[in-house]
Amino acid sequence: MATEAERYASDLAAWFRRHEDRGTAIPMENYMRGQYPFLGIKTPERTRLTKAFWAERGYPADEDVLEIVNRLWALPEREFQNVAMAFLERYKKKAKIGDIEAFENLITTKSWWDTVDYLAAHTMGTHLTRFPELLSEYPERWIRSDNMWLRRTAILYQLGYKGRTDADRLFAYVLRCKDESEFFIRKAIGWALREYAKTDSEAVRRFVASNKLSPLSVREALKHIGKGTG
């Protein structure tokens, strides 16, 4: 017998499939380099459909959210992973400490920048703020991982922290990955430093000047602050 979460996810999937548009899906798939199939529902329409479904069906009980998210994540079309993240946005401040395992699994499943960056900066960023006792285990494990997306997560999870940023940790993680040739790591380094520069531009300038980073990382890090007054 199907669970309430299974029925909910199935009904939501059917709701979205009624709005499939192959003419729109093809350029969306091309933009994402053919990584995943699409229904052809752009972000504004996807957001409208999600809210309309919630208005009609109601938002699920907290204990069902992660099962619904996982069921949506398992569907082939990319819109369903994006809808799942809308559920996570509403759930993130209610999550239990152990849910970090489920969040980590999402990062390493159907991984691409569009899901990983949201999960890193929003889901994980919030979770690690709420449960700082996890910091000594999870980000430390991610930065040492063979999985590039977990390393990217370790670099990016503090994106929204501003004055709460642990700069020593951020700089240490950048140094650990600075010699990697992977585009997504080099871009993440620059992005994380650029965001922190909004809080402490001089610290970022000094760090970039003192360490040999990739040209891409440097360009991104100094994008809005330059190299200094010299």
Side-chain angles (χ1 to χ4, degrees), residues 4-215:
E4 175 58 28
E6 183 177 357
R7 289 191 294 271
Y8 190 103
S10 178
D11 291 348
L12 189 151
W15 169 265
F16 270 82
R17 291 191 191 285
R18 289 201 294 270
H19 298 83
E20 182 173 6
D21 182 345
R22 284 305 302 162
T24 304
I26 291 172
M28 294 172 76
E29 291 167 359
N30 290 340
Y31 175 73
M32 293 293 283
R33 302 181 187 177
Q35 292 287 321
Y36 303 101
F38 279 77
L39 292 171
I41 302 173
K42 293 184 177 180
T43 299
E45 178 70 357
R46 188 185 73 235
T47 300
R48 186 189 70 78
L49 290 172
T50 302
K51 290 180 177 179
F53 186 85
W54 286 343
E56 180 178 308
R57 181 65 175 266
Y59 189 75
D62 290 344
E63 59 267 25
D64 290 334
V65 169
L66 286 184
E67 182 180 346
I68 292 167
V69 165
N70 285 329
R71 289 183 178 280
L72 294 174
W73 216 265
L75 296 174
E77 294 88 358
R78 198 56 165 173
E79 285 89 346
F80 291 121
Q81 286 87 66
N82 287 301
V83 173
M85 291 189 291
F87 281 86
L88 290 174
E89 181 65 26
R90 289 187 60 166
Y91 178 70
K92 66 184 181 182
K93 292 184 179 179
K94 301 178 181 179
K96 301 182 293 294
I97 188 169
D99 290 342
I100 193 168
E101 294 287 342
F103 301 153
E104 185 179 83
N105 184 63
L106 296 176
I107 288 170
T108 58
T109 305
K110 297 187 176 178
S111 308
W112 198 242
W113 62 264
D114 60 326
T115 54
V116 172
D117 291 359
Y118 171 82
L119 292 166
H122 296 275
T123 306
M124 286 301 192
T126 298
H127 204 69
L128 291 170
T129 295
R130 294 181 64 223
F131 303 106
E133 59 267 40
L134 298 173
L135 285 166
S136 62
E137 178 181 354
Y138 285 88
E140 291 295 315
R141 187 173 76 195
W142 301 336
I143 201 64
R144 297 192 302 269
S145 174
D146 291 336
N147 185 296
M148 179 267 291
W149 297 109
L150 287 177
R151 297 197 302 281
R152 184 172 168 99
T153 297
I155 295 167
L156 294 180
Y157 81 86
Q158 297 192 81
L159 272 181
Y161 283 18
K162 300 180 180 179
R164 297 183 293 111
T165 302
D166 182 340
D168 290 341
R169 186 186 295 269
L170 171 61
F171 292 154
Y173 287 178
V174 168
L175 291 177
R176 187 175 182 92
C177 299
K178 71 180 182 65
D179 295 323
E180 292 191 36
S181 60
E182 171 57 57
F183 169 83
F184 286 110
I185 294 297
R186 291 184 169 191
K187 188 79 170 181
I189 288 171
W191 185 12
L193 292 174
R194 184 174 76 242
E195 283 301 303
Y196 184 55
K198 296 175 183 178
T199 297
D200 192 340
S201 60
E202 287 307 313
V204 171
R205 283 195 187 99
R206 289 194 300 270
F207 179 80
V208 170
S210 301
N211 296 281
K212 185 172 176 57
L213 306 180
S214 73

